[in-house]
Amino acid sequence: MLDTIEVFYVDGDSAVCDGGSGALGHPRVYLAIDKSGRAICPYCGRVFARDPERAGQSEVLSPGEAPDLRPDPASTQY
């Protein structure tokens, strides 16, 4: 089980993730925000959520604070 969920808010239908951390990150991936309003990076597990009012912001939540944002392992595509 995850200790924390890192959530990044976007205003569009796509997101880009490189894992941050410069050379310690991962290859850049382009993610489509699905009809649930979120996308999960298959490399690092970051959650991207559509919320135009909070676009450009991020936060770290515990799974209990954001049960609807918890990654579903069955839906992860590689």
Side-chain angles (χ1 to χ4, degrees), residues 24-55:
L24 299 177
H26 58 67
R28 181 176 293 165
V29 291
Y30 297 85
L31 307 165
I33 305 296
D34 64 20
K35 60 185 170 188
S36 73
R38 66 183 179 130
I40 300 170
C41 178
Y43 285 99
C44 64
R46 287 179 171 173
V47 176
F48 294 87
R50 185 185 306 115
D51 186 342
E53 293 184 16
R54 298 177 72 185

Side-chain angles (χ1 to χ4, degrees), residues 57-74:
Q57 299 176 24
S58 66
E59 62 184 328
V60 177
L61 303 171
S62 71
E65 292 175 307
D68 59 324
L69 295 176
R70 189 175 308 130
D72 178 6

Side-chain angles (χ1 to χ4, degrees), residues 4-41:
T4 60
I5 298 171
E6 192 170 13
V7 182
F8 291 84
Y9 297 99
V10 298
D11 62 357
D13 293 330
S14 62
V16 178
C17 187
D18 64 5
S21 305
L24 299 177
H26 58 67
R28 181 176 293 165
V29 291
Y30 297 85
L31 307 165
I33 305 296
D34 64 20
K35 60 185 170 188
S36 73
R38 66 183 179 130
I40 300 170
C41 178

